[in-house]
Amino acid sequence: MNRAFNRKKDKSWMHTPEALAKHYIPYNAKFLGNTEVDQPKGTEIVKDAVRKLKFQRHIKKSEGQKTPKVELQISIYGVKILDPKTKDVQYNCQLHRISFCADDKTDKRIFTFICKDSESNKHLCYVFDSEKCAEEITLTIGQAFDLAYKKFLESGGKDVETRKQIGTLQKRIQELETENSELKKQLSDLEEQLMIAPVPPAGSISLKPQTSTDVFDMVPFSAVTPLVPIPASNGTPPPPPTTSPSDMSKDLFGAAPFDPFTCGQADFPPDIQSKLDEIQEGFKMGLTLEGTVFSPDPLDSRC
């Protein structure tokens, strides 16, 4: 597996972009299995994996087990490995997680790729026997990666940014709903206090509660005692609290004003941020075909 492949030097793709973007390219192959590898790239890495899985398959064959057949569906959304009869998906390898793809030039049957598992985050090497179509499948995966990367730069990154902003707005709405519920409860408590407070008849003398006051007949301020709103003697609710200087930079709802030029520094929901980071990391690493780095220009920093 030492053939060098350079997509930048007059190398035409085998399929139309529409075929990979709107549909998928199917291939039939025998699945030798997958095994964990130490590195995301490397010809020697996949050579060792192929030898290991071939040896295991030889043992199973001697025990009467046949090599299972699978169907590969390659598109810009990934490489699906399915049961050819039931169409059940056995593995779904997203393209930004595939870092290395190679085929055996000697017999043109064996091809392999390394993909980072979505659950364990371990690098797994998948090995197939493709009946003389190894190089074609390798190039198809490369073309799908190329199209997926361009789609991510043209629209995918913007879509993720939009989802990030929507997530931030949804989070703020939840905070406002909670704050609104608390304010309603406080208003209800104040109304109950006003309804319970006795109203003295006209001309009667109102007795003041026995509370120690200062020379101005005011209750002394205490830093230990919390300030509790008390209805005024005329039955009107207390005036609203004044806005502190620290809140001047916030809007009516207590949130910092939205700035589209600094939205990338906002506190986004963890699930959206981690997904964005994962896609960025995968595309930045690029896809290597037979030892040649397969990666366009660096990602847009806005994403």
Side-chain angles (χ1 to χ4, degrees):
M1 299 184 184
N2 55 3
R3 174 181 56 84
F5 170 75
N6 190 337
R7 71 179 188 91
K8 294 183 179 181
K9 293 184 178 180
D10 300 329
K11 187 67 179 182
S12 60
W13 293 121
M14 306 185 65
H15 309 284
T16 63
E18 291 76 14
L20 289 167
K22 298 181 179 180
H23 306 282
Y24 59 84
I25 306 299
Y27 290 99
N28 293 320
K30 293 181 179 180
F31 186 35
L32 275 65
N34 59 23
T35 184
E36 182 180 353
V37 293
D38 297 332
Q39 301 294 330
K41 296 176 183 287
T43 302
E44 294 301 322
I45 297 295
V46 295
K47 279 185 177 180
D48 292 339
V50 169
R51 283 194 291 264
K52 177 181 178 180
L53 291 174
K54 275 188 173 181
F55 179 74
Q56 293 178 356
R57 183 52 55 186
H58 180 73
I59 294 177
K60 292 181 179 180
K61 187 176 182 180
S62 65
E63 297 174 351
Q65 298 184 24
K66 294 183 179 180
T67 304
K69 296 181 179 180
V70 295
E71 177 182 334
L72 300 175
Q73 294 182 357
I74 304 174
S75 69
I76 62 173
Y77 300 102
V79 179
K80 288 185 178 180
I81 305 174
L82 305 89
D83 184 290
K85 295 182 179 180
T86 64
K87 301 300 180 181
D88 292 335
V89 179
Q90 300 176 359
Y91 300 94
N92 187 9
C93 303
Q94 295 176 317
L95 291 176
H96 67 271
R97 289 181 169 270
I98 299 178
S99 54
F100 191 88
C101 188
D103 59 87
D104 193 340
K105 187 179 179 181
T106 56
D107 60 8
K108 298 183 180 181
R109 296 173 61 95
I110 300 297
F111 81 94
T112 176
F113 63 81
I114 298 176
C115 180
K116 189 176 183 181
D117 186 68
S118 59
E119 296 181 359
S120 65
N121 282 331
K122 295 179 179 179
H123 296 288
L124 301 178
C125 183
Y126 294 77
V127 180
F128 302 86
D129 185 335
S130 60
E131 297 293 338
K132 306 295 183 179
C133 294
E135 182 179 10
E136 180 179 341
I137 296 176
T138 300
L139 294 177
T140 302
I141 294 176
Q143 182 181 5
F145 185 95
D146 183 43
L147 293 173
Y149 188 91
K150 291 178 179 178
K151 180 178 177 61
F152 177 78
L153 290 183
E154 294 172 357
S155 62
K158 296 178 182 178
D159 292 342
V160 172
E161 184 66 26
T162 301
R163 289 195 295 269
K164 286 164 56 179
Q165 295 183 13
I166 292 175
T168 302
L169 292 175
Q170 290 176 342
K171 180 180 178 181
R172 185 57 189 153
I173 289 173
Q174 293 178 354
E175 294 175 351
L176 290 175
E177 289 178 349
T178 302
E179 182 180 349
N180 187 37
S181 299
E182 294 176 354
L183 291 175
K184 284 183 177 180
K185 185 177 183 304
Q186 294 179 11
L187 180 59
S188 177
D189 294 342
L190 289 174
E191 290 177 349
E192 291 180 0
Q193 293 179 18
L194 291 175
M195 294 294 293
I196 296 175
V199 180
S204 63
I205 301 175
S206 177
L207 297 178
K208 296 182 179 180
Q210 298 297 324
T211 307
S212 59
T213 58
D214 58 14
V215 293
F216 299 103
D217 201 26
M218 300 290 291
V219 178
F221 172 78
S222 173
V224 179
T225 305
L227 296 177
V228 180
I230 301 177
S233 58
N234 59 358
T236 58
T242 58
T243 303
S244 61
S246 60
D247 295 333
M248 295 302 293
S249 61
K250 297 183 179 181
D251 60 14
L252 179 62
F253 302 102
F258 175 74
D259 185 352
F261 299 103
T262 60
C263 61
Q265 301 175 359
D267 183 16
F268 300 114
D271 55 341
I272 297 179
Q273 186 62 53
S274 61
K275 183 65 177 178
L276 176 63
D277 294 341
E278 174 195 325
I279 296 175
Q280 284 181 325
E281 180 182 356
F283 279 127
K284 281 183 178 179
M285 179 178 292
L287 173 62
T288 300
L289 298 183
E290 301 268 312
T292 298
V293 176
F294 180 76
S295 177
D297 296 332
L299 283 171
D300 193 333
S301 60
R302 294 177 300 171
C303 301

